[in-house]
Amino acid sequence: MKTQTFILLSALLLATVSQAAPITLTNKEGKKIEAELVRLDGEKVFLKLTNLSTVEVPLNTLSDADVTQIKAWWEENKNKVGAKNLRFSILKNVKQIDRKVTKTGGSGHSGKNQVAQVVKKMTKDEVTFNCVLKSYAKNDISEITAEYTIYKRVSTRDKDGLKSDVDEIDGTKEIRFIEAMGTADFETDKVPCEDISESGGNKPTTRKSETVEGIIVTLSVGGEVFLKQSYPENYIGRLEEKEKRDESE
């Protein structure tokens, strides 16, 4: 059996291509035009004019110097990522691996020789996160690096009382390519979680419980971070608040 928890984490980043400052272009007839470079699409360049309208201009109608400048700008900016082009979503999967209950002792006979029953319960799960990146950009995006940290709480209860710690599981995934208006996804490594308890007999109840609390994902292109998001959505804020409380104590 598989339990799936969905959460949609919208991330509206910067424009896919960082628009340049207005420049003056000259066509082969000597006519000049002032515009911002928007994007290059094959042999056409898209320009934003001073009246804020966008036009497409064939490269072969511009001067050789302008064509060289436009291609150099596009090579530098074509993989830049930002808001209004991407939507990031996370799907948490919990897969049940094993469930077991064992009972020992407890003969059922009364008297001083009666053996107290001991009950042992065990569950094993595997937790993964499926991350989906949807592009609304009109150009392809490549070489996205996804770095993530999964936070697993480990709690134990025994004769010495209750103890609780958080393990951090780090991982990295590479998204080699997202085509224009396309989708790419990746799955995190599996995180095993156990819940084991023992009660009855002549000993106090003991328990070890492992639970995945959340994940933080950081996406970057060329070493430049463009998104940091968490599951659940408020998990980053919760960690920051805890850090502040710990510093104040």
Side-chain angles (χ1 to χ4, degrees), residues 159-189:
K159 61 182 180 63
D160 297 322
L162 178 65
K163 297 178 182 178
S164 183
D165 293 297
V166 175
D167 292 340
E168 298 182 5
I169 300 98
D170 296 324
T172 302
K173 297 289 182 178
E174 298 292 337
I175 302 174
R176 297 299 183 187
F177 182 80
I178 305 180
E179 63 182 9
M181 309 299 288
T183 301
D185 66 324
F186 64 90
E187 184 176 76
T188 66
D189 293 334

Side-chain angles (χ1 to χ4, degrees), residues 8 10 31 37 39 98 102 146 158 172 205 210 214 227 232 238:
L8 181 64
S10 297
K31 184 178 179 180
L37 300 176
R39 73 178 186 276
D98 198 5
T102 59
D158 54 26
T172 302
T205 298
E210 299 176 333
L227 169 65
R238 285 163 52 185

Side-chain angles (χ1 to χ4, degrees), residues 146-166:
E147 296 177 296
Y148 62 84
T149 301
I150 298 173
Y151 297 82
K152 181 173 78 170
R153 182 168 295 280
V154 181
S155 302
T156 57
R157 182 185 295 276
D158 54 26
K159 61 182 180 63
D160 297 322
L162 178 65
K163 297 178 182 178
S164 183
D165 293 297
V166 175

Side-chain angles (χ1 to χ4, degrees), residues 29 50 93-94 125 136 151 156 168 171 201 245:
E29 296 177 354
T50 53
N93 296 314
V94 181
D125 296 329
Y136 295 94
Y151 297 82
T156 57
E168 298 182 5
R245 290 196 303 269

Side-chain angles (χ1 to χ4, degrees), residues 209-243:
S209 177
E210 299 176 333
T211 306
V212 170
E213 288 191 336
I215 182 174
I216 295 178
V217 182
T218 302
L219 301 180
S220 62
V221 172
E224 183 176 346
V225 173
F226 65 87
L227 169 65
K228 186 175 183 180
Q229 189 56 274
S230 67
Y231 172 93
E233 192 171 2
N234 64 344
Y235 195 67
I236 293 176
R238 285 163 52 185
L239 291 182
E240 291 175 347
E241 289 176 1
K242 182 181 182 302
E243 185 176 349

